[in-house]
Amino acid sequence: MVNTLPRLGISYLKSILSLTSRYVELRGKNMNPQTSSSHYINWSKEDLIARIQSLEDALLDMKPLPSTSSGQKFPKARGKDGNKPPALPTHVPSLPPNTPSSNNLKPLPSAFPFDSYPKRKIAIKFCYEGWSYNGLAYQTDPTPLPMVEAVLMNALVEARLVDPSGGFEGCGWSRCGRTDKGVSAAGQVVAFWARSNIGARKLREKAKRKAREVEDDALDLSLLGEGPLNGEDSATTSNMTEDTASSEASKDDTKVTGAEEEEEELNYVQILNTLLPPSIRVLAWSPVSPEFDARFSCSYRHYKYFFRPSSPPYTPESTLDIEAMRDACRRLIGEHDFRNLCKVDPSKQIDNYKREIMEATINPVDPFDVGVDGHESKGLSDLYVLDLKGNGFLYHQVRHIMAILFLVGARMEKPWIVDALMNTGIDTPNPISVDDTSPLPIVPTKPSYYMADGLPLVLWDCGYKESDLLWRTTPSESVRPASSGPLNVSRKHTSIFTDLHTMATRNMIQMVLHNHFFKAGLEYSKRLPDPPTPWLDNKNGEGRYSTPLGAGGFQVSGKYLPLLERPRSEDVKVVNERWKNGAGVRRAEKKANSLNTC
């Protein structure tokens, strides 16, 4: 450089000198802080060359730029090819103190250039243990247990797949079915925009070209006296150059729609399962269109509710009437008004309670009959499951339906009670009769009753059009559900199934142990009076009633009051109007105040 300096023009030498001097100042050298472009106006060419040579020597003696965690944009460490992003963590993160009472999203430990990488919209299918969480949907308020979405989003952020600054809205987050506290899922689906590896190399090359163009433009402006030579901070120019290049390069190239896949995609399943706790497992992922919505693109949701029909003292009278429950189930099929078979949530201001049930059946199930490669493992036979499939469900609808089925199975109510509860008299014809003997009563408001326990409930599957999704367990290979044929998965990607098998085995052993504890206790219970039948005939006012609620629980009472004779709740219109004028107004004011303070 020094040998070419005498051939350069005076104005260009002054520009280089000002930029170099300013850079040295910013790097902390003991140069004259008052040095600026105006300081060199009267310098001769020889003095300028000497000054540049001294600054060049100072630059050569400088140490490399230090790392920083303050968010400043310094060069990132690269792999051997110069293009790889920082390596993903491979450990399971330890939960911070008081995690069960906090749903705060973790910030990234250092800045990550999300704009420098392409994005694509994907859907993931995952399962989770409901008893370990306070529900699915993210909440800002503290909860006794963590929320599933908070744990999942923290894993996505730690894997640098989602930008935490945008939160759920920024990544276009959508969920299929919202599950409550204690409710599990075997096939939950969420969709969002995630960092992609498809086209990443092309995008980075374009960003580099843009950066060079912006730097050239900045140098041209500086030579004309319009750049940082007039006192502007060169660090600001450097950051502006990087930001502009990244923004320009990402305008058209950061969204991958699946049409072109030149490179192998990130292994979303493996990355997330490495970071998630064992109670949440990602099963598969699929590329989806930008218009795909996990909730509104769903054609049906399939729930299962597991229960045991027998209870102590294990007599025919203490066993649920499965045939009567099946009769009640058949009456659910079709489109009906379910306002009396759900919990009214006034915050949602719902005025249409009609939903369609496509399937409602009760069948025996073997918890260990998994049918893997033709091998079956037999377990308890005294277990049944309610399969309920519909296009949409109201708040706690499945648990309310199951509570009524328990009353029917316990011979406390007749199967026609289901027809009565759906006969609200609101745009509902009334040609049905009670067992073809008397008119069906109109029930406009919900009678008081307990809903079933949430532990045995699981969101089993979410249905979509075949053209919407192509599930994969690897970056590129698609797989078919087990119901449509053998599931072919590469050996190197079977860790998820090994994990699930291990969890199932441990839980099976725990269940067998608890059954043995129960059998051991029977020896001592023989010395006590025989336990009462859960649903005892109480015509003479003797004994008690124990209404089954699922998961081994009962609601005990001294007298059974028929469902249609119980107190009724208020009309849903009254409940909605009261919330709208009370809590709804306060919520709107709180939201407006928070926006004004931002």
Side-chain angles (χ1 to χ4, degrees):
M1 173 180 174
V2 176
N3 295 333
T4 60
L5 286 176
R7 297 195 297 269
L8 299 177
I10 285 288
S11 61
Y12 189 64
L13 287 175
K14 291 178 180 179
S15 300
I16 293 177
L17 182 58
S18 180
L19 283 172
T20 307
S21 179
R22 184 60 174 160
Y23 180 70
V24 171
E25 293 171 20
L26 292 173
R27 291 299 307 275
K29 284 293 180 178
N30 295 324
M31 298 296 176
N32 183 1
Q34 302 300 325
T35 304
S36 63
S37 57
S38 59
H39 183 74
Y40 302 113
I41 292 177
N42 299 322
W43 283 36
S44 65
K45 184 174 182 178
E46 291 74 15
D47 293 336
L48 288 172
I49 292 175
R51 178 62 171 171
I52 290 174
Q53 288 176 335
S54 64
L55 290 174
E56 185 182 14
D57 294 338
L59 285 172
L60 293 175
D61 293 337
M62 282 186 177
K63 296 181 179 180
L65 284 169
S67 60
T68 180
S69 58
S70 62
Q72 290 179 276
K73 296 186 177 180
F74 290 141
K76 301 286 184 179
R78 300 292 180 183
K80 294 181 180 179
D81 59 359
N83 292 318
K84 292 183 179 179
L88 295 173
T90 57
H91 66 283
V92 177
S94 58
L95 296 175
N98 302 323
T99 294
S101 62
S102 174
N103 292 310
N104 294 332
L105 299 182
K106 301 176 184 177
L108 278 176
S110 59
F112 184 82
F114 284 98
D115 291 340
S116 300
Y117 295 89
K119 295 183 289 290
R120 76 183 310 175
K121 195 168 191 180
I122 67 171
I124 61 172
K125 176 173 283 192
F126 61 104
C127 61
Y128 51 87
E129 301 172 349
W131 54 87
S132 299
Y133 298 95
N134 217 71
L136 170 69
Y138 173 75
Q139 296 182 20
T140 55
D141 297 330
T143 53
L145 295 171
M147 310 301 294
V148 174
E149 284 187 343
V151 178
L152 185 58
M153 177 59 77
N154 280 329
L156 290 167
V157 169
E158 187 166 358
R160 276 71 166 176
L161 296 178
V162 169
D163 188 350
S165 62
F168 289 92
E169 292 184 3
C171 66
W173 188 273
S174 62
R175 71 178 76 91
C176 179
R178 178 171 179 166
T179 57
D180 300 307
K181 180 181 179 180
V183 178
S184 302
Q188 180 68 270
V189 175
V190 296
F192 52 91
W193 287 93
R195 178 169 64 89
S196 173
N197 196 47
I198 306 300
R201 185 179 296 108
K202 178 181 177 181
L203 182 63
R204 287 192 292 270
E205 291 175 353
K206 184 171 182 178
K208 290 178 181 178
R209 291 196 301 269
K210 286 290 184 180
R212 286 195 294 268
E213 293 174 4
V214 173
E215 289 173 354
D216 292 343
D217 293 342
L219 181 59
D220 292 341
L221 290 173
S222 68
L223 294 179
L224 295 174
E226 301 175 3
L229 296 182
N230 290 330
E232 183 179 343
D233 195 338
S234 61
T236 303
T237 304
S238 175
N239 285 344
M240 180 184 69
T241 301
E242 182 178 348
D243 290 343
T244 305
S246 176
S247 175
E248 291 295 327
S250 62
K251 282 183 179 179
D252 301 321
D253 298 319
T254 56
K255 292 187 177 181
V256 178
T257 59
E260 295 182 1
E261 297 194 4
E262 304 170 355
E263 306 165 65
E264 187 176 79
E265 187 52 281
L266 297 172
N267 195 333
Y268 295 114
V269 173
Q270 187 179 45
I271 291 172
L272 290 175
N273 284 333
T274 300
L275 299 172
L276 289 168
S279 54
I280 302 176
R281 293 290 89 184
V282 177
L283 305 175
W285 76 280
S286 172
V288 295
S289 66
E291 296 77 24
F292 179 85
D293 187 282
R295 177 186 176 189
F296 296 108
S297 299
C298 181
S299 56
Y300 70 83
R301 293 163 182 84
H302 182 184
Y303 284 91
K304 286 180 179 283
Y305 194 99
F306 297 89
F307 66 97
R308 297 183 71 177
S310 60
S311 299
Y314 302 107
T315 62
E317 293 77 15
S318 66
T319 301
L320 294 174
D321 187 342
I322 297 297
E323 289 306 318
M325 297 175 71
R326 286 171 174 165
D327 184 0
C329 274
R330 288 190 287 268
R331 301 167 188 258
L332 293 166
I333 298 176
E335 185 180 81
H336 303 284
D337 191 320
F338 287 96
R339 68 183 62 210
N340 294 329
L341 289 164
C342 72
K343 182 177 180 180
V344 175
D345 183 359
S347 65
K348 297 181 180 179
Q349 294 290 291
I350 296 175
D351 56 8
N352 180 15
Y353 288 84
K354 288 187 176 182
R355 298 294 186 272
E356 181 184 1
I357 299 297
M358 305 171 183
E359 176 186 329
T361 60
I362 293 179
N363 298 293
V365 62
D366 188 336
F368 309 136
D369 183 6
V370 294
V372 178
D373 296 332
H375 299 285
E376 297 181 356
S377 176
K378 296 300 181 181
L380 295 176
S381 59
D382 187 22
L383 191 68
Y384 281 75
V385 62
L386 165 69
D387 281 284
L388 207 58
K389 185 184 294 185
N391 63 352
F393 289 89
L394 297 164
Y395 187 34
H396 288 325
Q397 181 180 341
V398 180
R399 294 170 65 181
H400 278 75
I401 289 175
M402 196 66 217
I404 300 302
L405 294 180
F406 279 142
L407 292 178
V408 172
R411 304 170 187 86
M412 296 176 174
E413 300 287 347
K414 298 295 184 181
W416 59 259
I417 192 64
V418 173
D419 292 324
L421 291 173
M422 297 187 299
N423 189 37
T424 61
I426 303 172
D427 300 327
T428 304
N430 191 24
I432 309 173
S433 61
V434 178
D435 296 335
D436 297 326
T437 58
S438 58
L440 187 69
I442 295 177
V443 187
T445 56
K446 175 186 170 185
S448 175
Y449 62 93
Y450 287 94
M451 66 178 176
D453 194 283
L455 178 64
L457 179 60
V458 57
L459 174 59
W460 190 253
D461 194 19
C462 304
Y464 298 91
K465 296 179 181 178
E466 291 186 2
S467 58
D468 287 344
L469 295 163
L470 186 61
W471 293 115
R472 308 172 177 187
T473 58
T474 65
S476 58
E477 297 176 4
S478 61
V479 297
R480 292 180 294 170
S483 59
S484 63
L487 184 62
N488 298 320
V489 184
S490 303
R491 288 186 178 180
K492 63 179 180 179
H493 297 294
T494 57
S495 60
I496 176 177
F497 303 104
T498 303
D499 292 344
L500 292 174
H501 180 268
T502 300
M503 293 169 60
T505 302
R506 294 180 65 86
N507 288 323
M508 178 186 69
I509 293 173
Q510 289 180 340
M511 187 199 70
V512 172
L513 288 174
H514 282 292
N515 274 321
H516 278 73
F517 298 158
F518 173 70
K519 291 179 180 179
L522 288 178
E523 179 182 351
Y524 300 95
S525 65
K526 292 177 182 178
R527 304 175 186 175
L528 301 175
D530 291 335
T533 303
W535 30 95
L536 181 66
D537 186 358
N538 202 21
K539 291 182 180 179
N540 298 324
E542 298 176 357
R544 62 178 182 178
Y545 283 97
S546 298
T547 306
L549 297 175
F554 296 91
Q555 187 258 323
V556 181
S557 61
K559 179 181 178 181
Y560 181 75
L561 186 64
L563 204 58
L564 298 183
E565 298 179 13
R566 299 182 185 184
R568 306 285 182 87
S569 63
E570 292 182 299
D571 187 273
V572 294
K573 292 182 179 180
V574 176
V575 176
N576 284 339
E577 189 67 21
R578 181 169 58 248
W579 185 93
K580 183 179 179 181
N581 297 328
V585 173
R586 292 191 295 272
R587 176 181 290 188
E589 292 175 350
K590 182 178 179 180
K591 184 176 181 180
N593 293 333
S594 63
L595 292 175
N596 292 334
T597 56
C598 293

